[in-house]
Amino acid sequence: MPSSPPQRAAYVHFTTMTSRWRDNDVYAHMNNAVFYEYVDSAVNGWILADGGLDVPNGPVVGLVVASSCEFHASLGFPDPVIAGLRVGHLGRSSVRYEVGRFRGAEETAAAQAAFTHVYVDSATRRPVALPDHFRTALTGLIVG
């Protein structure tokens, strides 16, 4: 059973994204696969701009090991889409990012997604501890 949709105040960092005509499916709303593209862009955009990791050329990279999404309302072109980002769990080598997708200024999320990254050595692909500077940046995304 889906949970109640989260509110905007449950997130720390926000990114405005522009929906595209091609995002809509035959039902005139955003295709489920496109939701994940936007979630991936919100997470990786933050990592590149604020997280301080050199993706994909640095010594540490994150691999998606789990993902999920609950849909509460539809989005689609021409809606502006706001992605709210927070960290739901911060482990030794893993992070669960939680992303709320909002239609424009609406306070209730149309969808809530989660991505779990395990951070690995880029050469060996074995899990490594999160770099200190990255862990510090991630703590700024923890709510409460």
Side-chain angles (χ1 to χ4, degrees):
M1 171 115 145
S3 61
S4 298
Q7 300 297 302
R8 190 178 293 263
Y11 297 91
V12 177
H13 175 82
F14 295 90
T15 303
T16 301
M17 301 174 159
T18 303
S19 62
R20 305 159 301 182
W21 175 259
R22 70 184 188 109
D23 295 344
N24 288 0
D25 60 19
V26 297
Y27 302 107
H29 60 71
M30 189 175 289
N31 184 281
N32 297 344
V34 173
F35 265 85
Y36 277 109
E37 289 178 20
Y38 278 91
V39 170
D40 196 37
S41 292
V43 169
N44 285 297
W46 180 87
I47 290 169
L48 292 171
D50 300 312
L53 290 187
D54 180 13
V55 177
N57 301 313
V60 175
V61 295
L63 303 178
V64 175
V65 297
S67 64
S68 64
C69 190
E70 290 184 16
F71 300 94
H72 304 286
S74 64
L75 292 173
F77 181 82
D79 297 329
V81 177
I82 311 298
L85 178 64
R86 67 184 179 202
V87 166
H89 175 77
L90 184 57
R92 185 190 80 77
S93 63
S94 66
V95 179
R96 186 180 71 241
Y97 299 96
E98 298 173 351
V99 180
R101 303 288 312 284
F102 299 87
R103 179 183 296 108
E106 289 184 6
E107 289 297 316
T108 301
Q112 57 192 16
F115 262 24
T116 300
H117 280 175
V118 170
Y119 286 86
V120 299
D121 178 281
S122 61
T124 67
R125 293 298 202 243
R126 299 297 307 152
V128 296
L130 299 170
D132 290 339
H133 71 282
F134 186 50
R135 178 176 291 282
T136 299
L138 288 165
T139 60
L141 292 177
I142 298 173
V143 176

